[in-house]
Each structure stands twice: as structure tokens, then as C-alpha cells.
Amino acid sequence: MKTLLELFLKGGPVMWPILALSVVGLAILVWKAFEIRAGRRGPKGLVVVSTIITAEPMLGILGTVTGIMQTFGALNGADGVANPMSATAGIGEALITTAAGLIASLILLFPYNVIDEKVED
């Protein structure tokens, strides 16, 4: 099994915005949880988390597209010769970013729904 860092790096450049958005989303949710505990229940910040939850799977799909583009580039080859090893790297990038976008979104989705429900009460 690959380490998490190796997997992250194999996901390509789209993994960085997925990571950044996840950190921002989690930070906002933790902040909102502390606010709710303190008795303040305003919706401030939840729109950002909702947008992040929507954007992360789209970023995963963007990583899929860039990975498949890399695959086709490797299959065409610069000198007309296909490079199967590079093609598999592109497919790996596509799958990793798709999974990362979905997982990151799901991790934020459930606590977001709980906090959003408490804010609306």
C-alpha cells in the first residue's frame, strides 16, 4: 500500500486545490461548531463550506480530464511510439483525483449538514 503522500503526489496538480479547500472547509466547520457551543448560531461561513462541498467533486473530475489527457499524450508518443507506462500514470492520476474530490466532499458534507441544521433551529 502506498503512503498517503505518495498517493497525493501521484494525483497530480489538481490535488493541491482539493487539499486547500478541504482545510478551509474543515476550519470553518470547526469554527462554526465552537460558535454553536457558545450559543451563537448565525449562518456566516456556511455558504463557503457549501460551495467547497460542491466544488471538490468538480475538481476531481478536472483531475480526471487532465489525467486522461496525459494518457492520450503518452499513447500518441512524441516520436509516434506509445509509452504504456506513462499511460498508466495518467489513468492513475485520473482515478486518484476523482476519488480525492469525492472523499473530501463527503468528509465535509455530513458535519456541514449537522451544523446547518443546528443553525436553522
Side-chain angles (χ1 to χ4, degrees):
M1 183 80 184
K2 302 221 179 281
T3 67
L4 196 55
L5 178 62
E6 288 173 326
L7 201 58
F8 179 86
L9 294 174
K10 286 185 187 271
V14 177
M15 294 293 285
W16 291 103
I18 291 173
L19 176 64
L21 287 174
S22 295
V23 169
V24 169
L26 282 172
I28 292 171
L29 288 175
V30 167
W31 166 61
K32 292 304 292 180
F34 280 116
E35 275 196 336
I36 289 169
R37 267 190 109 189
R40 296 184 303 272
R41 295 180 181 250
K44 185 176 180 183
L46 288 179
V47 171
V48 174
V49 178
S50 177
T51 303
I52 290 170
I53 290 169
T54 303
E56 284 180 325
M58 288 186 214
L59 284 168
I61 292 169
L62 176 62
T64 301
V65 170
T66 59
I68 297 299
M69 288 170 56
Q70 178 184 339
T71 300
F72 281 116
L75 290 174
N76 289 333
D79 54 359
V81 178
N83 184 348
M85 292 305 288
S86 291
T88 59
I91 292 169
E93 178 181 321
L95 294 172
I96 291 167
T97 54
T98 302
L102 292 171
I103 291 168
S105 179
L106 287 170
I107 288 171
L108 294 177
L109 179 64
F110 296 107
Y112 166 81
N113 283 334
V114 169
I115 290 172
D116 187 46
E117 183 67 28
K118 289 184 187 261
V119 167
E120 289 179 6
D121 284 344

